[in-house]
Amino acid sequence: MNDITLPNAVENFIAATNAHDANALAAVFGDGATVRDDGKTWAGEAEIREWIQGHLITPKIVLTPTSFADGRLVASGDGDFPGGPLSFSFVFGIKDDQVIDLAIAPV
């Protein structure tokens, strides 16, 4: 990932996203995790799996990191959606090498 140093959980999130591997993505998230994206919150494993499928796997998202600082990843996202690639901010809350909170917004 170029010269950007990322925490393991973030590296795993990007690798699983780019591999379109729903199970590996789900494994990145800790118990009771939440995801905030598109004005909605997904909480717990079942809802996060729904978000993973609909927002990352089905549109075949590929992330290319551009920067990371203080838990905030900025990445270009491309896939099967109109207007791509687009830049997104991913703000990660990480505990014990797992994502426990993730907020995503366009940049």
Side-chain angles (χ1 to χ4, degrees):
M1 311 226 171
N2 300 338
D3 292 337
I4 301 171
T5 301
L6 301 171
N8 288 337
V10 176
E11 282 189 20
N12 294 340
F13 176 83
I14 293 167
T17 297
N18 292 353
H20 310 118
D21 185 336
N23 289 328
L25 263 166
V28 169
F29 291 89
D31 291 338
T34 59
V35 173
R36 293 181 311 279
D37 187 18
D38 284 341
K40 184 176 175 188
T41 299
W42 287 265
E45 184 178 359
E47 288 185 9
I48 289 175
R49 281 185 175 275
E50 175 187 326
W51 170 79
I52 287 168
Q53 190 62 48
H55 286 78
L56 300 175
I57 302 300
T58 298
K60 297 181 180 138
I61 298 299
V62 173
L63 298 175
T64 304
T66 56
S67 68
F68 183 82
D70 299 323
R72 181 178 184 259
L73 171 73
V74 175
S76 174
D78 205 359
D80 293 338
F81 62 88
L86 300 173
S87 288
F88 294 93
S89 166
F90 299 80
V91 179
F92 290 88
I94 298 170
K95 181 179 178 186
D96 299 329
D97 272 344
Q98 289 194 297
V99 175
I100 56 169
D101 185 64
L102 175 59
I104 302 169
V107 175

